[in-house]
Amino acid sequence: MKRRKPNRCKTILEAEAYVPADSDFRLKDNREEMVPDASFTVQSVWLDAAKGYVQKASAVIGLVFIILIGIMAAAGPGMNAYTYSEQYLSQKNFAPRVRVLENFGIFDGGEVLKTGAGTKVVNRYKEKNLENVYYWFGSDNFGRDIWTRTWLGTRVSLIIAVAATVIDMVIGMSYGLISGYFGGWVDMVMQRFLEIANGIPRLVVVTLLLMALEPGMLTVMLALMLTEWMGMSRIARAEMLKLKEQEFVLASRTLGAGCFFIIFREILPNIMGPIITQVMFSIPTAIFTEAFLSFAGLGIPVPQCSLGSLIAEGFNSFTAHPYQIIPPIAVMALLMLSFNLAADGLLKALDPKRKEV
């Protein structure tokens, strides 16, 4: 008879089952290998924008000058004993004089005047024996301190420009978002109204408004508010048309979210970059517009002052005393340049296309 071979499978199954022990396992310490890829590290959008902003030197310089001018606008009028409206007719048209710099022959109160016989140097401080009187930027035709009036005018111009721009942002942003989201006949009616309003010359609107109301800060802010919101609305509408069909908006609409919830809670946070950039570009425009209105006599009433009114006052005596117009012009030019540099840095820092994939 043929001998049968033993069943190996049955033998293995019948054998005693092996029970793993703890010594058979060893934990692998791979914490050093589990470092996340820097390309996919999650970080704040604003932190990323801040890092991109500081990499642009011109933007940082602009921001530094904005901060310095803001500090001087807040503290400058209180740095000496003069007020913006106090007049000393016996000390009018005094040239700039600084306590330390006068020892080096600069800002010592001397002024070159043109006469029929030629030119001569006049120092009114010495002529009137005023050894302890110092006007850092000089005095104007009424004996008022130009230093105090310059920084107070800077404060007034900044308050007007920033407040009017923020109000314009709220109005224009809301108008553009609503128009772009609903579309259809709502968008058509709102855009036709915008075109009609934009067709009216802004200078005419501002002039009529200032002639109908009492001149002052609120009147100038209202005039700027009524004319400067249209550009913001166009940017908001364009961003809305680009984002309203995105997946996250469709998901919110599917879950039953309301229209205004989607507009102001879902879409608005995603367009804050272009909005903030436009605000930074709008502030120097508002400063220039306010200065123009004050220069034309339609702005801040006397004895209050702004950069525009100071430039207008200095322009009347520019040929005889040129130092009176230099401080407000220098501050205004530096302020507008700084805001434009800072806005250009924000534009590049908040632009997602600047990143390399």
Side-chain angles (χ1 to χ4, degrees):
M1 296 181 60
K2 189 176 180 180
R3 187 175 180 180
R4 299 179 61 183
K5 295 181 179 180
N7 192 343
R8 296 181 57 86
C9 296
K10 183 176 179 181
T11 305
I12 295 174
L13 292 175
E14 292 176 352
E16 184 179 356
Y18 175 74
V19 179
D22 294 340
S23 58
D24 295 335
F25 299 93
R26 180 173 59 87
L27 294 176
K28 181 179 180 181
D29 187 7
N30 61 343
R31 287 175 295 179
E32 297 181 356
E33 301 177 6
M34 297 176 63
V35 178
D37 191 349
S39 301
F40 300 95
T41 303
V42 178
Q43 64 179 1
S44 172
V45 175
W46 298 106
L47 179 60
D48 187 31
K51 292 180 179 179
Y53 184 87
V54 298
Q55 292 177 358
K56 190 172 179 59
S58 60
V60 176
I61 293 174
L63 181 61
V64 169
F65 276 109
I66 291 173
I67 295 174
L68 291 177
I69 293 175
I71 293 174
M72 292 304 301
M79 295 179 66
N80 54 29
Y82 303 106
T83 63
Y84 74 94
S85 60
E86 197 172 11
Q87 299 182 10
Y88 297 95
L89 296 179
S90 62
Q91 300 177 11
K92 62 181 182 179
N93 297 326
F94 276 30
R97 185 186 183 193
V98 182
R99 189 180 297 274
V100 177
L101 297 180
E102 64 178 346
N103 299 326
F104 299 94
I106 55 176
F107 295 104
D108 57 354
E111 181 182 6
V112 179
L113 295 179
K114 294 182 180 180
T115 62
T119 60
K120 66 175 182 178
V121 178
V122 177
N123 192 320
R124 292 186 174 86
Y125 297 91
K126 294 182 180 179
E127 290 180 356
K128 297 186 178 182
N129 197 22
L130 300 174
E131 297 297 332
N132 295 323
V133 175
Y134 291 89
Y135 289 103
W136 297 334
F137 283 171
S139 62
D140 60 8
N141 293 327
F142 297 96
R144 296 172 297 193
D145 181 42
I146 298 179
W147 168 277
T148 303
R149 290 178 62 80
T150 297
W151 295 120
L152 182 68
T154 304
R155 180 195 302 176
V156 171
S157 296
L158 279 175
I159 291 175
I160 292 174
V162 173
T165 303
V166 170
I167 297 174
D168 289 337
M169 178 192 70
V170 175
I171 296 175
M173 181 179 62
S174 302
Y175 192 94
L177 289 176
I178 294 173
S179 176
Y181 181 81
F182 289 101
W185 66 270
V186 176
D187 183 49
M188 183 186 67
V189 172
M190 295 180 71
Q191 292 305 308
R192 298 299 79 76
F193 173 78
L194 180 64
E195 291 175 0
I196 294 173
N198 192 38
I200 302 174
R202 298 182 183 182
L203 183 59
V204 174
V205 176
V206 172
T207 304
L208 293 176
L209 183 61
L210 293 176
M211 291 176 62
L213 300 177
E214 183 179 355
M217 288 182 59
L218 294 179
T219 305
V220 176
M221 290 171 57
L222 180 61
L224 294 174
M225 180 186 68
L226 293 177
T227 57
E228 299 295 331
W229 61 273
M230 302 173 193
M232 186 71 68
S233 68
R234 289 194 179 93
I235 293 177
R237 178 177 177 270
E239 294 294 328
M240 172 60 76
L241 294 176
K242 184 172 62 176
L243 294 177
K244 72 175 185 177
E245 299 299 334
Q246 295 292 324
E247 289 80 2
F248 69 94
V249 178
L250 296 176
S252 297
R253 191 181 297 121
T254 304
L255 293 174
C259 296
F260 289 97
F261 180 88
I262 296 175
I263 292 173
F264 295 104
R265 295 294 298 273
E266 298 288 346
I267 297 179
L268 179 59
N270 289 278
I271 65 172
M272 287 307 296
I275 295 296
I276 294 175
T277 303
Q278 179 64 23
V279 167
M280 292 297 293
F281 278 117
S282 299
I283 290 177
T285 303
I287 293 174
F288 179 79
T289 304
E290 183 278 327
F292 171 76
L293 295 175
S294 298
F295 183 84
L298 300 174
I300 304 299
V302 294
Q304 297 180 1
C305 58
S306 66
L307 292 176
S309 62
L310 290 174
I311 294 173
E313 294 174 0
F315 179 77
N316 295 329
S317 58
F318 173 72
T319 56
H321 310 288
Y323 61 86
Q324 295 182 8
I325 197 175
I326 292 176
I329 284 182
V331 172
M332 180 178 172
L334 186 60
L335 195 60
M336 295 182 65
L337 177 62
S338 300
F339 269 109
N340 279 290
L341 291 176
D344 182 65
L346 279 176
L347 180 63
K348 295 183 178 180
L350 296 175
D351 185 8
K353 295 180 181 179
R354 69 181 175 84
K355 300 178 183 178
E356 296 182 0
V357 179

